Structures are given as structure tokens and as C-alpha cells.
Amino acid sequence: MPSKLLSSTVFPLLVLLTCALIFLYTHLLPLYSPPPPPNLSFPNYRTYLPSFLKSQSYPCNLSQGRWIFDPHYRPTYGPDCPFHRNAWNCLRNQRDNMSRINSWRWVPHGCDSPRIDPAGFLESMRNRRIGFVGDSLNENFLVAMLCFLRAADGGAKKWKRKGAWRGGYFPKYNVTVAYHRAVLLAKYEWQPTKPSDLSGQDGLKGIYRVDVDIPADDWVNITKFYDVLVFNTGHWWGLDKFPKETPLVFYEEGKPILPPLGIFEGLQVVLNSMVSYIGREVPHGTIKFWRTQSPRHFYGGDWNQNGSCLFDEPIEEGQLDAWFDPKNRGVNREAREVNRLIEWAVRGTDIQFLDLTHLSEFRADAHPAIWLGKKDAVAIWGQDCMHWCLPGVPDTWVDILSALILYHLETG
């Protein structure tokens, strides 16, 4: 009898308890919001990543691919961008064939074109700063990025602080992008007095002293200001800029390096020294890139020897070595030679090797050439077969750089 009483009492209690638990589960669980995964930060950068970069490792090399003619491919800005530099504004200067020049789309092997949405990129970069340091090819890069980003923020303003040569501020997102001109990266200055160890050289008018262990004043104080830094040098390292009458002479710890270094040897020492300085002075959390050389397309002579680049089509892949292989000793060989030194210098560091050379080697058709915006410019300076029309090839550089920045924000 007691067991039957216990059973009749416990069973209803179990039913009531079960109903209460079901009620709590169905009514209170929706109020619970689980915390985000440990490494997720906001904004969610994956929203803006191209699909091929959403894995933890690159499914393709963005620097290797081919140019595809696509008549529907269009640039994101035109000749009225306020950040334009006149000599590169090929639309305004009415360069021939611009419609076709801007209809070539870079497609990396194994994935689609890395086109980035400017609004999405700016949202991911909110409250951050991007700095370019180097020569005018990094300025060419900067102008393309400023015009690209302005498509998402019409209130963008010119910005020139912290010693920047030029830049832009995007108030809608509180993003700054600027360029610091430092053509050799290391400090250098003209000295009309001949050093005693070079006094025997005939025709010497003076020297450009390069302190290999001292960064140029233009960027020495901005190492902790930017969240992303893009470095380059190499285009000034040649006898056309520093002939034997006014050579580069290299110093270390305030004393001339003896025996004196040639230009290429000096470049290697400067690269190693600047990479070491960046490692010491730029915070580890800063995203750092070293951009490879932008290839020149002078044909029939250098810039000061009536070199020309009046081409209508990209170079075919099988012809690239004839233009750029150092074995050929032509006027276009330097890019690959300098890239080799850069790759050695950044190896083993947290500086990303940003290879933009190969994709640019094809585009002999995309330079300002004779369309420089001033009628006497070609007579004075020769054709420009070094810098790029904007819009043009540097827009693809911007897409690749932006994709890699987003990737590092996502995985860093």
C-alpha cells in the first residue's frame, strides 16, 4: 500500500517538473545570445573579403595570372577625381585608346579578379591610416587608391600633415591615406665638396652623401602613426639619376664606407639597413608591405635617349623575357634585378613581399607616353614610359593591396 501511494505522488511531480523545464527552455533560450568566437572582431572583415580569400590560406597567388580583355570592365573613377596628378590623368589629356586600355582585367590563376568594393574596404578600415613611403611610383599607387576610395566618400579632403607629400582624408569613415616621398628611403644630401678619398676622380662636381643607417627625414617620425605601411625604392638607383660626375657616396656611422660601394652594392646595404630599422621601430601589429618594382616600357632607348612606348596592346607572355630578363642588358632589366635584392632583404621578417611586377610587365600600352598635359613636356623630359595612366594598371594594384589588407585584418 505505501509503495502505491509513493508512486501515485512522484509521477505527477515528475510531469510537473518536466513541463516546467520545457517552458524555461522554449521561453528563455531565445533571450540568450552566445558571445562571438574568440578571434572575431568588428566590423566583420569577412563581409568584404573576396570569396577566394575567405579561407585561412590563399587559394591562389594574386600576382600570377593573365590579362583578359573584357569590354564590360570599367574603372571606378574618371578624369574629375580631385586627387589626380595632371601628367597621369590620361583621360583628361586625351591619350589614345584609353577605352581599350581600361578594358583589360587581371585574372589570377585559380581565381577571379580581386575587385574590392570601396565602401566595404573603408568600413573595414574605419579609424585607421594607410601610409605609402618611397618614390613617385608609390605616389602613382597612392593617387589610384585615393580616387578609388573617393567613389565611396564624396566628402574626401586633401590631407598633408606629418610631413606627408600628399594624401587624402575620408571623414565618413575617419580613414587617412597618405604618401611620404623618400626616393632612396635612406637620408641623402648634396655635398659640393669632394671627399678626400674621391679626389682623384676626373670631372667630379660633388657627391650625394647617403647615410645608409639613417632613414630619410620624410618618414622617420611616422613609424607609429600608420596602421598599414607600403614601402618601395629602386627607381632612382641608376646612373641616369646619379652619373659619375655627381655620384652617390655611402656613409655608415658618419664615416665613408671604404672601399666605396657601387650603386647596386649601396642599394643592397640600404635595403638591409632600412628593413632592420623597420623591424625595430615599426610596431609588430602594423601591416607592412614592400612593393616590388614597377617595370618600365621604354623601347628603342631610355627616357633621355628618345625611348618610346606608343603601344596599343599588352605584351604577349612569351615576349616578356626579351624585355626584362637581366641577361639581355636592355633598358628595362632593372626591375627584376632590384626585386631579387628586395626579396632577400625582407625574407624572414614580418614585411610582406608585394609582387606587382609581373602583372605590370605585360602592360606596355598603359603609360602616359606623350600625353602629359603640357605641350613642352616631352621635349623637356621625354616620353613617360615609367609612370602609369590613371585610371589604369595601378587600380589593379589597389585591388590586390586592399584584398591583402582585408585578409590580414581577418587573420591577424
Side-chain angles (χ1 to χ4, degrees):
M1 188 75 177
S3 63
K4 289 183 178 180
L5 181 62
L6 180 62
S7 175
S8 63
T9 304
V10 170
F11 181 77
L13 288 174
L14 289 173
V15 171
L16 286 172
L17 181 60
T18 301
C19 291
L21 289 173
I22 292 173
F23 175 85
L24 290 172
Y25 182 83
T26 57
H27 287 75
L28 296 183
L29 184 62
L31 301 178
Y32 170 72
S33 179
N39 293 324
L40 186 64
S41 56
F42 295 94
N44 184 355
Y45 307 114
R46 294 183 69 82
T47 302
Y48 310 113
L49 272 173
S51 59
F52 57 84
L53 286 177
K54 288 184 178 178
S55 67
Q56 290 298 306
S57 61
Y58 301 146
C60 66
N61 182 346
L62 300 181
S63 300
Q64 297 296 317
R66 59 191 179 126
W67 290 96
I68 302 293
F69 185 76
D70 182 352
H72 303 294
Y73 193 74
R74 291 291 179 268
T76 57
Y77 60 93
D80 298 327
C81 171
F83 297 110
H84 258 305
R85 181 167 165 176
N86 183 52
W88 306 334
N89 192 344
C90 292
L91 288 173
R92 180 171 291 170
N93 297 336
Q94 299 183 328
R95 191 218 193 278
D96 288 349
N97 215 26
M98 279 300 292
S99 177
R100 184 169 180 84
I101 286 171
N102 284 317
S103 294
W104 291 94
R105 178 166 56 93
W106 176 250
V107 182
H109 296 316
C111 57
D112 201 358
S113 302
R115 291 215 91 173
I116 299 296
D117 169 45
F121 179 76
L122 280 170
E123 182 59 47
S124 356
M125 290 300 297
R126 184 177 289 278
N127 303 323
R128 289 183 170 89
R129 308 177 184 113
I130 302 172
F132 292 80
V133 180
D135 58 36
S136 60
L137 272 302
N138 252 9
E139 183 183 3
N140 211 178
F141 199 168
L142 167 98
V143 174
M145 175 164 265
L146 292 177
C147 290
F148 164 78
L149 295 178
R150 184 180 175 271
D153 188 351
K157 304 174 182 178
K158 294 182 179 180
W159 188 93
K160 197 173 181 180
R161 302 176 194 168
K162 292 283 184 180
W165 182 269
R166 64 191 303 177
Y169 175 67
F170 300 87
K172 186 176 176 181
Y173 302 90
N174 190 29
V175 170
T176 300
V177 185
Y179 162 67
H180 296 259
R181 181 177 171 85
V183 297
L184 303 184
L185 292 183
K187 181 178 180 179
Y188 84 104
E189 60 184 3
W190 168 250
Q191 290 187 348
T193 305
K194 303 175 185 178
S196 57
D197 54 287
L198 294 177
S199 58
Q201 287 196 10
D202 295 334
L204 191 67
K205 299 177 181 178
I207 67 161
Y208 285 96
R209 169 175 170 163
V210 182
D211 286 278
V212 300
D213 50 348
I214 302 177
D217 293 341
D218 309 79
W219 69 278
V220 69
N221 294 319
I222 55 102
T223 54
K224 296 174 176 62
F225 180 73
Y226 292 101
D227 302 283
V228 179
L229 281 167
V230 183
F231 296 93
N232 95 297
T233 190
H235 296 285
W236 277 59
W237 295 81
L239 293 175
D240 57 328
K241 296 289 187 181
F242 302 102
K244 62 181 182 179
E245 297 83 10
T246 55
L248 296 176
V249 177
F250 301 94
Y251 285 66
E252 189 170 21
E253 296 181 350
K255 299 177 181 178
I257 297 176
L258 297 174
L261 302 177
I263 287 183
F264 227 56
E265 297 168 314
L267 170 59
Q268 187 167 6
V269 173
V270 166
L271 288 174
N272 292 333
S273 180
M274 294 299 103
V275 166
S276 178
Y277 180 84
I278 292 166
R280 295 192 309 270
E281 298 297 328
V282 178
H284 181 72
T286 302
I287 302 172
K288 298 176 279 290
F289 297 95
W290 200 297
R291 182 184 65 72
T292 61
Q293 295 306 94
S294 172
R296 311 183 308 160
H297 286 95
F298 290 103
Y299 183 79
D302 216 326
W303 66 272
N304 55 353
Q305 299 168 342
N306 296 318
S308 176
C309 51
L310 301 176
F311 298 98
D312 294 324
E313 298 287 333
I315 298 172
E316 294 181 6
E317 187 164 7
Q319 299 175 337
L320 291 183
D321 284 349
W323 281 74
F324 300 106
D325 192 323
K327 296 175 186 175
N328 296 323
R329 310 307 296 170
V331 298
N332 306 292
R333 71 184 185 277
E334 292 89 347
R336 294 185 183 183
E337 292 178 333
V338 173
N339 284 350
R340 189 168 61 251
L341 298 182
I342 294 170
E343 189 170 13
W344 289 341
V346 303
R347 187 175 296 168
T349 73
D350 64 348
I351 302 173
Q352 305 297 310
F353 185 74
L354 179 58
D355 182 6
L356 300 177
T357 304
H358 178 67
L359 69 91
S360 306
E361 285 183 342
F362 294 94
R363 299 306 304 276
D365 59 320
H367 297 282
I370 61 173
W371 292 274
L372 301 174
K374 293 182 180 180
K375 66 176 183 177
D376 297 328
V378 176
I380 297 172
W381 300 106
Q383 291 192 34
D384 188 348
C385 304
M386 176 180 290
H387 302 99
W388 300 91
C389 286
L390 296 177
V393 170
D395 301 325
T396 298
W397 301 353
V398 170
D399 280 329
I400 291 175
L401 174 64
S402 302
L404 295 178
I405 291 172
L406 290 176
Y407 181 86
H408 284 287
L409 289 175
E410 159 70 15
T411 60

